[in-house]
Amino acid sequence: QPQADPVPADPGAFVELKGPLTATPDRVELPEFELTVHAQGRPQLLKGKLALDLGASPKAAAELSGRFVDLDALFGVANAEKRLPPAAVLYMFADTVLYESAKYGEISLNASLEQAGLGGDLLGNFELALATNNGAVKIERLKATLPGENRVEVQGKLSHGEFGPVFAGPIKLE
């Protein structure tokens, strides 16, 4: 079962979304937008596009790209003294994805970041493609360059386990 909203609330967080909107009674599109998420006093800047089908079977497709996103700040890590280890931030991300996917229909997300902050370190060439359908989450692609020029590639499924998110699938580390 999905947990309660897993991401700690940042009382200072807010979101700005700018871009042209096209809407009909059964579809909403933002063909290009700029998204700023203010988290822990740090603006996270992204660009992308979004399409929402609002019919009997709701669907959403989103593409996001950015130069740098601080994943620690997005998931409520206030400062270096209280920074969570990367595994804890990834756990929170997985729990959030499972929680949100249970509320909505079919979702696809493609994200590409030049750099991402995670656990106080930098990831490079971060790519994520995931799809959800009625609470099932499939990670179609997760790639990143880790510190020390190591690389990780992941594909698989996320599900709810007895104590939280469970990942099943191959992980390739170079």
Side-chain angles (χ1 to χ4, degrees), residues 10-12 22 49 69 85 96 105 114 117:
D10 174 7
T22 304
K49 53 183 158 180
V69 171
T96 300
E114 289 180 30

Side-chain angles (χ1 to χ4, degrees), residues 23-111:
T24 65
D26 58 350
R27 185 167 174 85
V28 175
E29 284 187 73
L30 286 156
E32 60 181 68
F33 64 80
E34 293 180 5
L35 173 67
T36 305
V37 179
H38 296 270
Q40 304 297 324
R42 299 178 191 125
Q44 312 299 310
L45 308 171
L46 297 163
K47 292 184 178 187
K49 53 183 158 180
L50 173 67
L52 302 170
D53 288 323
L54 307 172
S57 300
K59 295 179 184 177
E63 293 181 22
L64 296 171
S65 64
R67 297 195 66 173
F68 174 79
V69 171
D70 187 347
L71 298 173
D72 295 330
L74 283 177
F75 288 94
V77 182
N79 55 45
E81 293 84 41
K82 296 182 181 180
R83 183 171 286 133
L84 296 173
V89 176
L90 291 174
Y91 180 95
M92 292 171 78
F93 174 75
D95 207 27
T96 300
V97 168
L98 287 166
Y99 174 78
E100 295 298 327
S101 70
K103 295 190 318 187
Y104 301 103
E106 189 177 325
I107 301 170
S108 69
L109 170 67
N110 288 295

